[in-house]
Amino acid sequence: LTGQIWYDYGTKTLKCYDGSKFRSLQNIDIGSSTPSGVKIGDLFFNTFQQKLYMYNGTKYVLIGPQDTQFEGI
């Protein structure tokens, strides 16, 4: 059924059926310090910086917002 939730023990991820296949539901941490014990694709919203990051398997990569020369204008 569309919307059905399933835990995949093989990949250790929660998935939801979209009507044609099961899709992973990404983990997101929110806080002012970088979380540990993460896996590829996990998201982290830094409340101090007001920025969103994604873990690439080695480090967190900034998704946005990007700083620009016009920021704050």
Side-chain angles (χ1 to χ4, degrees):
L1 297 173
T2 300
Q4 179 181 353
I5 295 176
W6 170 64
Y7 182 75
D8 183 340
Y9 284 97
T11 61
K12 295 184 171 88
T13 57
L14 191 61
K15 296 184 176 186
C16 182
Y17 191 68
D18 71 359
S20 62
K21 70 177 194 174
F22 279 96
R23 297 191 177 266
S24 294
L25 300 175
Q26 296 302 321
N27 296 325
I28 183 164
D29 286 296
I30 300 171
S32 59
S33 60
T34 307
S36 59
V38 295
K39 63 182 189 309
I40 293 175
D42 283 355
L43 300 171
F44 167 57
F45 181 75
N46 185 308
T47 55
F48 178 74
Q49 297 176 339
Q50 297 292 295
K51 296 183 184 238
L52 181 65
Y53 295 86
M54 182 182 70
Y55 189 70
N56 70 3
T58 305
K59 64 180 181 174
Y60 275 100
V61 177
L62 178 64
I63 293 176
Q66 302 289 326
D67 290 330
T68 69
Q69 63 181 350
F70 303 107
E71 190 169 300
I73 296 177

